[in-house]
Amino acid sequence: MTRKGRNAQRTQQHGQRLMRTAKFQIGQIVRHRFFPFRGVIFDVDPEFSNTDEWWEAIPEEIRPTKDQPFYHLLAENEQTSYIAYVSEQNLVVDETGDAVGHPQVDLLFDGLEDGHYVLRQSQTN
């Protein structure tokens, strides 16, 4: 299949704009394609939804396009844990099978099953 064909398969009509379908899911463990961190996805934006200042701070040679899904991660590296906002093009599946050690994982997820975190069901009063 050609690249154009794959991209066409990953789009859906949304009003008058075409929006790509997210490749990754909430609860999936991923790692950054270039930088040494990994994390679990806890939210997805269908396209870039951060400040222009944030986007422009990314070196131009690796700056992602804005018209793709962006993922919120409970991220970790060897030194610390933090929240990351990463474009789809810069993520790959983490196949280590290791749990993510971010301290907020237990607040959002009920546990790890078959390599994916199970999202905690919110309770309303």
Side-chain angles (χ1 to χ4, degrees), residues 10-14 17-24 26 41 43-50 65-72 85-89:
R10 296 180 58 209
T11 59
Q12 60 185 6
Q13 189 72 33
H14 184 75
R17 295 177 12 187
L18 287 176
M19 296 187 68
R20 291 174 41 177
T21 302
K23 178 179 178 180
F24 303 108
I26 292 175
I41 297 168
D43 197 10
V44 182
D45 293 334
E47 59 186 21
F48 181 79
S49 185
N50 206 329
T65 61
K66 292 182 177 182
D67 63 343
Q68 62 181 306
F70 275 72
Y71 299 84
H72 300 260
Y85 190 65
V86 186
S87 66
E88 184 170 273
Q89 75 186 52

Side-chain angles (χ1 to χ4, degrees), residues 1 9 16 20 27 44-46 61 83 88 92 104 114 118:
M1 179 178 291
Q9 282 187 330
Q16 293 198 351
R20 291 174 41 177
V44 182
D45 293 334
E61 62 273 6
I83 304 292
E88 184 170 273
V92 295
Q104 293 179 313
D114 299 323
V118 178

